């Protein structure tokens, strides 16, 4: 999926010597990650439990800050950014492993959350949320409460919510981890379609090799280090 006109020395995401330690350095969740990702790429990250996959994704999504090293996205060093939440709300769509929907809000309200307080008008927020829910096949569930939905439907709401800010990067942490394989495939197809149609950079963390193989490129992590980085063509 690499674009021929992409200039490689000007990569969209650039990570240098990224380290994240916990417990006064006793645990090194990330231990020197170097990585370049081009705009519009579809990347999978695979590795054993505890290898640092979620930690890496959280750093990329500006949900947490590294101990040392740098992350540049679109030329901006997010590790130095003073306003990570603003960066996040402009660029990033995050699909959490356990979808994290708010149970006492409707499906429609859940999808609007990332845009509340960002200056986007109420009409525009509602329009985007409705369109996205229709595009993931949930146009008839707007007023439903999340607890009344199936696992796959909830995950589709979570995807619509991750997309409502028109992100240039989607980070998905085991988006199919809690689903049966048929429902998981539906979710993967939704993510792949968005990636292809909008040139969105898609990064998926997964335990499963067949999910990893759907990406253009697979990065294998072990003990906080990249062990393998291969193209899937
Ligand atoms: N807040 C924390 N405090 C201390 N240690 C942590 C913290 N968060 C993560 N770790 C440790 O960092 C390492 C990497 O964790 P991480 O969640 O990134 O793994 P993972 O690859 O996502 O695993 P899984 O596949 O089980 O989700 C683990 O050893 C974990 O115990
Ligand atoms: Mg994890």
């Amino acid at each position: 999926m690499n674009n021929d006109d992409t200039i490689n020395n000007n990569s969209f995401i650039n990570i240098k010597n990224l380290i994240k330690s916990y417990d006064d350095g006793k645990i090194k969740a990330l231990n020197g990650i170097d990585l370049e990702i081009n705009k519009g790429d579809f990347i999978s990250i695979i590795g054993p439990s505890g290898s640092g996959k979620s930690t890496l994704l959280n750093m990329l999504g500006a949900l947490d800050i590294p101990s040392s090293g740098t992350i540049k996205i679109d030329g901006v060093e997010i590790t130095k950014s003073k306003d990570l939440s603003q960066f996040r709300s402009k660029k990033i769509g995050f699909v959490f492993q356990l979808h994290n929907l708010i149970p006492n809000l409707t499906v429609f309200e859940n999808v609007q959350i990332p845009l509340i307080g960002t200056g986007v008008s109420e009409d525009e927020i509602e329009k985007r949320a409705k369109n996205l829910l229709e595009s993931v096949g949930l146009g008839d569930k707007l007023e439903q409460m999340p607890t009344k939905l199936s696992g796959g439907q909830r995950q589709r709401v979570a995807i619509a919510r991750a997309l409502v800010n028109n992100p240039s990067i989607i980070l998905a942490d085991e988006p199919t981890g809690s689903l049966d394989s048929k429902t998981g495939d539906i979710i993967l197809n939704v993510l792949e379609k968005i990636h292809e149609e909008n040139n969105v950079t898609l990064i998926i963390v997964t335990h499963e090799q067949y999910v990893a193989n759907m990406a253009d490129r697979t990065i294998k992590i072990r003990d906080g280090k990249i062990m393998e980085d291969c193209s899937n063509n």
Side-chain angles (χ1 to χ4, degrees):
M1 232 334 142
N2 280 338
N3 297 328
D4 289 334
D5 57 355
T6 303
I7 303 160
N8 276 328
N9 61 11
N10 197 13
S11 57
F12 184 52
I13 298 175
N14 185 304
I15 299 178
K16 282 217 168 82
N17 200 17
L18 193 69
I19 292 175
K20 177 69 177 180
S21 44
Y22 293 108
D23 294 346
D24 296 327
K26 277 190 226 108
I27 296 171
K28 279 223 162 81
L30 296 177
N31 195 4
I33 299 277
D34 291 292
L35 190 58
E36 292 199 15
I37 294 171
N38 292 327
K39 194 167 172 57
D41 272 3
F42 176 6
I43 307 274
S44 55
I45 299 176
I46 200 160
S49 180
S51 57
K53 304 181 299 296
S54 294
T55 306
L56 178 58
L57 218 62
N58 290 345
M59 304 287 142
L60 272 170
L63 291 173
D64 201 356
I65 49 165
S67 306
S68 64
T70 56
I71 303 175
K72 269 193 196 170
I73 297 183
D74 215 1
V76 176
E77 194 169 322
I78 62 165
T79 32
K80 291 210 176 119
S81 169
K82 293 221 163 51
D83 197 346
L84 285 180
S85 69
Q86 203 193 0
F87 165 83
R88 205 162 48 231
S89 72
K90 282 200 178 135
K91 293 255 184 217
I92 307 283
F94 212 108
V95 182
F96 295 93
Q97 182 168 8
L98 294 167
H99 53 70
N100 288 357
L101 298 178
I102 297 177
N104 55 348
L105 296 181
T106 65
V107 161
F108 191 39
E109 288 165 339
N110 263 283
V111 173
Q112 296 177 46
I113 289 170
L115 286 178
I116 305 292
T118 59
V120 179
S121 75
E122 210 173 303
D123 280 358
E124 173 66 18
I125 295 177
E126 289 190 358
K127 196 173 103 196
R128 281 201 217 168
K130 193 163 178 283
N131 285 344
L132 278 165
L133 282 163
E134 279 167 6
S135 75
V136 297
L138 295 174
D140 59 341
K141 300 273 190 239
L142 265 62
E143 300 308 324
Q144 189 71 275
M145 303 311 279
T147 47
K148 301 248 171 91
L149 300 177
S150 71
Q153 289 170 333
R154 288 180 205 186
Q155 198 59 299
R156 278 186 275 161
V157 178
I159 289 171
R161 183 182 56 185
L163 295 173
V164 78
N165 58 342
N166 294 329
S168 46
I169 305 171
I170 299 174
L171 303 170
D173 196 350
E174 307 245 11
T176 61
S178 56
L179 306 173
D180 64 81
S181 64
K182 192 165 151 248
T183 317
D185 285 346
I186 295 170
I187 297 303
L188 291 168
N189 289 337
V190 170
L191 286 170
E192 212 174 12
K193 188 160 163 262
I194 293 153
H195 152 70
E196 278 170 7
E197 288 177 0
N198 307 312
N199 197 34
V200 169
T201 306
L202 174 60
I203 305 179
I204 292 186
V205 165
T206 181
H207 270 107
E208 296 180 271
Q209 192 63 49
Y210 90 95
V211 177
N213 291 346
M214 289 174 71
D216 306 314
R217 177 179 163 201
T218 299
I219 290 156
K220 282 194 186 143
I221 296 192
R222 180 181 284 270
D223 298 331
K225 289 187 180 138
I226 294 179
M227 302 308 285
E228 218 178 294
D229 182 344
C230 60
S231 155
N232 291 328
N233 297 324

